[in-house]
Amino acid sequence: MLIRYKKAFEKIAMGLLSFMPNEKDIKKLTETIQSYETDDNWILYLWKKNDEYVGIIGLVLNNETATIQHVSVVPSYRGEGVATEMVQEVAELGQYENVRATDETREFVQKCIDCTDENKEKADEL
């Protein structure tokens, strides 16, 4: 289940984001979290499964387009479809006309998009 980030989740969010290759440095990680807290166009969701926060997905909004700039899953939950569920749920929220990926997240996000006829257009946009 997607849970919108709030300040109370800061340490959990930092831990989840630290699994991203470009977010290993504490200074960079702190700056990233601050951007999610202060910039209205930066949206962060945590993924809760069985009372545990096991994933995170971060978006940057530009008009009606949400660009996935961060996506990460706790290593012990990898391979269980958590990232796929997060990406699909973001796409199904109905809040964003388009959902895209950055160069850094594109390959991973494309693996997560279900390329059925219903979602084919969304996958093609990536």
Side-chain angles (χ1 to χ4, degrees):
M1 162 177 33
L2 281 180
I3 309 283
R4 180 83 182 255
Y5 172 82
K6 54 186 170 186
K7 184 76 171 164
F9 298 142
E10 182 178 41
K11 288 183 180 178
I12 295 167
M14 287 179 76
L16 291 166
L17 281 173
S18 72
F19 294 119
M20 293 283 302
N22 292 338
E23 298 292 337
K24 300 286 185 195
D25 177 67
I26 190 71
K27 183 179 177 190
K28 170 76 168 110
L29 194 53
T30 302
E31 289 171 1
T32 299
I33 287 293
Q34 286 176 344
S35 293
Y36 280 113
E37 290 175 353
T38 60
D39 190 331
D40 290 339
N41 291 322
W42 285 45
I43 310 294
L44 191 62
Y45 294 100
L46 285 77
W47 185 261
K48 192 171 185 178
K49 182 175 183 177
N50 301 327
D51 295 326
E52 285 185 79
Y53 292 99
V54 299
I56 198 161
I57 189 164
L59 314 170
V60 173
L61 306 180
N62 184 6
N63 298 320
E64 298 300 317
T65 299
T67 302
I68 299 170
Q69 65 177 359
H70 294 105
V71 60
S72 178
V73 176
V74 171
S76 61
Y77 280 86
R78 292 181 184 163
E80 295 183 20
V82 171
T84 301
E85 289 179 272
M86 287 191 300
V87 170
Q88 288 180 342
E89 191 159 323
V90 163
E92 293 170 2
L93 283 173
Q95 295 178 6
Y96 316 112
E97 196 171 301
N98 300 300
V99 177
R100 300 187 180 193
T102 63
D103 288 341
E104 182 183 16
T105 61
R106 182 168 286 112
E107 184 178 334
F108 186 74
V109 170
Q110 282 179 325
K111 291 178 186 177
C112 296
I113 296 290
D114 180 17
C115 290
T116 63
D117 289 341
E118 181 178 306
N119 293 326
K120 180 93 171 97
E121 286 179 28
K122 289 179 183 165
D124 288 344
E125 290 172 3
L126 298 173

